[in-house]
Amino acid sequence: MGLEINSWKPKIVTGEFGYTLEDVPHLSDYIPNLPTYPNPLQDNPAYSVVRQYFVDFDDTVTQKIVVHKDTPRGTHFRRAGPRQKIYFEPDDVHACIVTCGGLCPGLNTVIREIVCGLHHMYGVSRVEGINGGYRGFYSRNTISLTPKSVNDIHKRGGTVLGTSRGGHDTKKIVDCIQDRGFNQVYIIGGDGTQKGAAVIFEEIRRRGLKVVVAGIPKTIDNDIPVIDKSFGFDSAVEEAERAITAAHVEATSTENGIGLVKLMGRNSGFIAMHATLASRDVDCCLIPESPFYLEGPGGLFEYIEKRLKEFGHMVIVIAEGAGQDLLSKSLLQSANGQDASGNKLLQDVGLWISQRIKDHFSKKRKMEICLKYIDPTYMIRAIPSNASDNVYCTLLAQSVVHGAMAGYTGYTSGLVNGRQAYIPFHRINERQNKVVITDRMWARLLSSTNQPSFLTTKDVIQANEKKEPPTQLLDESFANGETIKTN
Ligand SMILES: Nc1ncnc2c1ncn2[C@@H]1O[C@H](COP(=O)(O)OP(=O)(O)OP(=O)(O)O)[C@@H](O)[C@H]1O
Ligand SMILES: O=P(O)(O)OC[C@H]1O[C@](O)(CO)[C@@H](O)[C@@H]1O
Ligand SMILES: [Mg+2]
């Protein structure tokens, strides 16, 4: 096309008092002289009564909302929402939607709302679903999506488009996008999926195509950084709470009853932490971020014995990624398998720890216990989304559509401090969101369960030295000691 296309560099705009905008790419960055069109929403009766419905070009959303009087203004993201000018004629839009990775409550709601948003807000009628994740681009037929065909899919769990792991072949995917003439590609998925979306965007940009690549973050593990939380997370926590209630009922119905619940959370223990805080029946929550040990003073066995003596029962929640190092040592083998996407396959910590607890009390302590192990793993992610997630999914879907119609690309649409924003892929992909055990939330959990922290003073010093991501309070530059002068 005769265009000079360099590798994409982050678009950073700086302003006064330490203001930084981490902007997202736009089609016009690499395709000159693109025509624009008035946004049809201005003639839409639903919106014509809304004052300031269109988002101001300069509106941005701040990443940190807790500040000191001399804190720099810090990082901002472009505010999501409809723009006055759009970069696509609705009749020319040919959109596709794909869902990748594990299931998550709300996937169908997001699909439905993208289809309905495109149709009802912008008059776009050509929307297709890619069948079965990334590999579906080049190996399957597409599924036609209309407001009628998606009308009640939000009531079902799973994804009507199907999903998969692995199969990300950038060249084949972009060839398919080009061959089929898609010009808006909506990609719903977790951290792996968003990395895949970033490479698709790069390749599309390299080829100079007028194709928007937009991500919608999905993961019940809540391991995607920057955003407040992932859709479906609340629903999953609610379902997890039901399993905890069952464990509690079982535990309280026998002498020395122990209810043990294993929850998802490969590297991040958010589901376990939130379900524990929500339920209040849990006496001990074990997550991947917080190392623990079984034997000796301050260990898990000692704590279990103390609780059983005091209360006669106990409930333990364990995230699937917790204690993997202990497990490897004990079984003399480490997990070395991978799934099709390259994610490490974990050993079953729930079964292992159940056995260790039983052995300890029957053989070593000669104490009779009654342990019931509940594994609701897939149940918590296969359900339809709850009311609040449904609202969240709707806002996410409408925001991502507005961004695409306005010509933004290479972004993930997400909630930042309660506001919808467009976040560049590189910020979403640079790290995994994890529970920070030196942060307030984990301290709240420890106070709620009264469990040991399993940390020595040395561990705390080491954790602090590890330079965890900045807390709610401070922006990165401020945390590193940089301040700006104010009048
Ligand atoms: N680094 C990467 N580059 C390109 N594609 C990737 C990358 N990592 C993962 N993918 C692709 O993204 C898709 C989903 O990845 P993965 O299975 O890790 O799930 P996910 O999106 O992280 O969701 P979750 O972990 O919440 O289930 C797969 O098709 C995989 O091939
Ligand atoms: O069995 P699958 O589909 O690989 O999914 C399991 C994984 O998916 C996740 O829920 C993330 O989506 C992880 O918590 C879990 O390890
Ligand atoms: Mg993932």
Side-chain angles (χ1 to χ4, degrees):
M1 296 193 69
L3 290 171
E4 194 189 314
I5 295 170
N6 305 313
S7 170
W8 188 77
K9 290 192 190 73
K11 270 168 86 175
I12 311 276
V13 181
T14 52
E16 287 193 6
F17 307 111
Y19 171 93
T20 305
L21 165 63
E22 297 220 13
D23 207 356
V24 291
H26 192 274
L27 292 173
S28 59
D29 294 346
Y30 63 92
I31 309 177
N33 309 320
L34 277 175
T36 60
Y37 311 90
N39 192 325
L41 281 175
Q42 67 195 24
D43 304 318
N44 183 319
Y47 298 102
S48 53
V49 292
V50 183
R51 282 176 61 209
Q52 294 183 328
Y53 180 67
F54 293 112
V55 166
D56 190 290
F57 178 79
D58 286 328
D59 281 357
T60 57
V61 177
T62 183
Q63 189 178 10
K64 293 286 164 200
I65 51 171
V66 180
V67 292
H68 293 177
K69 67 180 185 318
D70 50 356
T71 312
R73 290 179 65 195
T75 301
H76 293 67
F77 299 107
R78 197 163 276 289
R79 183 182 174 198
R83 268 55 185 178
Q84 267 169 340
K85 281 189 308 185
I86 56 171
Y87 279 74
F88 289 93
E89 278 258 57
D91 282 347
D92 292 342
V93 174
H94 189 191
C96 69
I97 308 174
V98 64
T99 51
C100 313
L103 294 183
C104 176
L107 280 166
N108 283 333
T109 313
V110 175
I111 297 167
R112 182 190 191 279
E113 295 307 318
I114 292 175
V115 175
C116 293
L118 279 167
H119 196 276
H120 301 320
M121 298 191 296
Y122 289 98
V124 169
S125 54
R126 284 194 299 161
V127 188
E128 288 177 63
I130 305 299
N131 191 348
Y134 277 133
R135 65 178 83 240
F137 271 104
Y138 53 84
S139 65
R140 305 261 187 97
N141 288 330
T142 56
I143 304 163
S144 165
L145 298 172
T146 62
K148 190 171 175 203
S149 73
V150 298
N151 188 40
D152 53 13
I153 61 170
H154 60 292
K155 294 176 185 159
R156 283 181 251 159
T159 158
V160 290
L161 301 179
T163 186
S164 64
R165 297 194 189 273
H168 186 285
D169 184 322
T170 316
K171 184 181 174 300
K172 283 189 190 170
I173 293 169
V174 178
D175 285 350
C176 161
I177 291 170
Q178 210 169 349
D179 293 348
R180 294 186 196 248
F182 293 130
N183 50 18
Q184 292 187 3
V185 181
Y186 295 96
I187 301 179
I188 313 173
D191 56 338
T193 306
Q194 302 301 315
K195 288 192 182 96
V199 259
I200 292 173
F201 160 69
E202 275 295 344
E203 179 59 16
I204 281 176
R205 188 182 177 282
R206 198 187 63 76
R207 295 190 194 183
L209 306 175
K210 188 190 172 188
V211 177
V212 163
V213 181
I216 302 100
K218 169 251 39 147
T219 161
I220 54 158
D221 289 357
N222 206 30
D223 55 7
I224 296 186
V226 184
I227 60 171
D228 292 354
K229 68 178 167 186
S230 157
F231 73 81
F233 178 70
D234 268 0
S235 310
V237 167
E238 220 168 82
E239 191 64 18
E241 209 192 323
R242 276 190 257 279
I244 294 171
T245 304
H248 186 243
V249 170
E250 289 286 346
T252 49
S253 305
T254 52
E255 203 183 325
N256 288 338
I258 301 178
L260 180 84
V261 180
K262 184 181 80 171
L263 295 172
M264 278 193 173
R266 237 195 290 257
N267 303 307
S268 309
F270 288 101
I271 298 173
M273 177 169 81
H274 282 253
T276 296
L277 282 165
S279 111
R280 282 150 217 281
D281 284 336
V282 180
D283 303 294
C284 188
C285 173
L286 303 168
I287 58 170
E289 296 88 336
S290 178
F292 64 94
Y293 53 96
L294 303 178
E295 320 246 7
L300 182 66
F301 292 153
E302 185 189 79
Y303 176 57
I304 295 177
E305 191 167 335
K306 184 168 155 270
R307 290 297 295 196
L308 290 179
K309 284 189 176 142
E310 273 176 62
F311 293 88
H313 69 272
M314 154 155 215
V315 175
I316 303 170
V317 162
I318 187 158
E320 63 180 332
Q324 288 291 318
D325 52 333
L326 292 181
L327 224 148
S328 307
K329 268 190 221 151
S330 147
L331 300 178
L332 297 175
Q333 65 181 53
S334 51
N336 43 21
Q338 289 186 338
D339 70 14
S341 294
N343 299 304
K344 193 172 163 188
L345 287 174
L346 301 175
Q347 311 195 65
D348 192 333
V349 73
L351 280 178
W352 172 78
I353 205 163
S354 301
Q355 201 50 54
R356 291 296 311 265
I357 295 171
K358 284 180 193 164
D359 287 350
H360 174 81
F361 284 101
S362 66
K363 293 181 191 155
K364 278 203 180 157
R365 304 295 301 152
K366 308 280 182 236
M367 203 173 137
E368 210 170 302
I369 60 158
C370 177
L371 187 145
K372 297 282 190 275
Y373 172 42
I374 300 182
D375 179 354
T377 311
Y378 291 99
M379 291 176 70
I380 70 165
R381 70 174 202 186
I383 52 167
S385 44
N386 67 12
S388 90
D389 271 328
N390 268 333
V391 175
Y392 184 18
C393 291
T394 306
L395 299 190
L396 270 175
Q398 292 195 358
S399 298
V400 80
V401 164
H402 291 312
M405 291 303 292
Y408 290 112
T409 181
Y411 66 92
T412 296
S413 198
L415 203 63
V416 178
N417 293 316
R419 293 288 180 155
Q420 296 285 340
Y422 301 138
I423 307 153
F425 282 142
H426 73 95
R427 282 305 307 272
I428 291 287
N429 292 335
E430 69 192 0
R431 67 178 175 86
Q432 246 184 350
N433 195 28
K434 293 199 178 195
V435 173
V436 179
I437 56 164
T438 49
D439 222 350
R440 289 234 180 103
M441 206 58 182
W442 187 242
R444 287 181 186 118
L445 179 136
L446 296 181
S447 321
S448 167
T449 59
N450 208 21
Q451 71 190 64
S453 73
F454 303 107
L455 291 177
T456 60
T457 318
K458 198 172 133 227
D459 293 329
V460 175
I461 295 169
Q462 270 174 0
N464 282 324
E465 278 172 355
K466 250 174 61 194
K467 275 210 167 188
E468 299 284 2
T471 67
Q472 274 299 315
L473 184 63
L474 299 175
D475 208 341
E476 219 154 348
S477 52
F478 192 78
N480 291 339
E482 298 162 25
T483 54
I484 52 148
K485 296 260 177 299
T486 50
N487 294 326

